[in-house]
Amino acid sequence: FLFTFRGKNNRRGVRNGLATMGAQHQNDTDVYVEVFGKHGGEPRLNISYEELMTETHFAAAPRGDALFSYRFSEIFSFGAIPVVFADGWMYPF
């Protein structure tokens, strides 16, 4: 995949935007974006998060509730490039 995101919608503008993007690209083979409701849901693709991340080049790292998101480091650990969506964010290094 060229770009991925799989996660919950915390009702922040960025994740709502990612959900819209996912709907627009749901038939693409190079973009996979899936935003679940508060209680989760079933993924469109039947692959684990780990498999998804090892097959992506760029992954969304939207800000969560704090000034840092573990997703940033997680994306690096899978060998992908994080795409940060946040203002006033604190980078881990």
Side-chain angles (χ1 to χ4, degrees):
F1 296 99
L2 178 62
F3 180 82
T4 62
F5 177 76
R6 182 188 278 174
K8 291 184 180 178
N9 190 347
N10 63 359
R11 297 181 211 206
R12 295 191 187 274
V14 171
R15 291 188 185 214
N16 287 334
L18 284 169
T20 300
M21 181 179 158
Q24 293 170 345
H25 294 277
Q26 66 183 4
N27 295 322
D28 289 358
T29 56
D30 58 344
V31 175
Y32 176 77
V33 176
E34 190 142 32
V35 181
F36 300 111
K38 183 179 179 182
H39 301 290
E42 289 297 317
R44 260 190 352 260
L45 293 179
N46 190 23
I47 61 174
S48 70
Y49 182 73
E50 291 79 13
E51 290 173 296
L52 179 65
M53 293 305 295
T54 58
E55 297 295 323
T56 193
H57 295 283
F58 297 92
R63 180 180 170 177
D65 295 327
L67 292 177
F68 172 74
S69 171
Y70 70 88
R71 193 175 295 268
F72 183 82
S73 299
E74 185 179 71
I75 291 167
F76 270 128
S77 72
F78 283 106
I81 300 167
V83 179
V84 176
F85 295 95
D87 290 334
W89 209 56
M90 294 181 64
Y91 293 94
F93 36 83

